[in-house]
Amino acid sequence: MFVIFLRFSSNKAAAQDYMAAHNAWIAQGFADGVFLCAGSLGPAAGGAVLAQGEARTALESRVEADPFVAQGVVAAEIHEIDPKRTIPSLDFLKGTDLPAS
């Protein structure tokens, strides 16, 4: 499982120019079954996405395709999490190790 932090850069003012394309990128991540949750970082710091089911290299390519990332609106950080304990409804997240490529 991965947490992707999308922190606004000095080009934050351009966000409105790419918002529709960024929202389409998020929708595609959900449609592909890779994104589990997406939301804002407060206060007005950017966003975060929980993702699973995709190898890191594929996820890195997906993140690079985000119009906000491609246009320098945000800087992306990808952090991998190996869930060991969850509530029962999130047990599907445990043991989801994927190959490095």
Side-chain angles (χ1 to χ4, degrees):
M1 183 172 85
F2 299 92
V3 177
I4 306 157
F5 292 103
L6 302 169
R7 299 187 192 278
F8 281 124
S9 70
S10 59
N11 194 26
K12 178 181 176 180
Q16 287 305 328
D17 297 337
Y18 302 101
M19 185 62 73
H22 172 70
N23 285 333
W25 173 81
I26 291 170
Q28 188 63 56
F30 279 103
D32 292 343
V34 174
F35 292 171
L36 301 174
C37 175
S40 298
L41 293 175
V49 178
L50 293 178
Q52 63 91 32
E54 190 164 66
R56 185 179 186 102
T57 54
L59 184 63
E60 288 170 350
S61 294
R62 181 183 295 274
V63 170
E64 289 170 8
D66 175 3
F68 273 13
V69 173
Q71 298 301 320
V73 173
V74 298
E77 299 173 23
I78 301 173
H79 298 273
E80 190 166 359
I81 298 172
D82 181 12
K84 299 296 185 199
R85 295 178 65 183
T86 62
I87 61 171
S89 61
L90 296 179
D91 280 348
F92 72 95
L93 294 173
K94 294 189 285 191
T96 57
D97 294 338
L98 292 170
S101 59

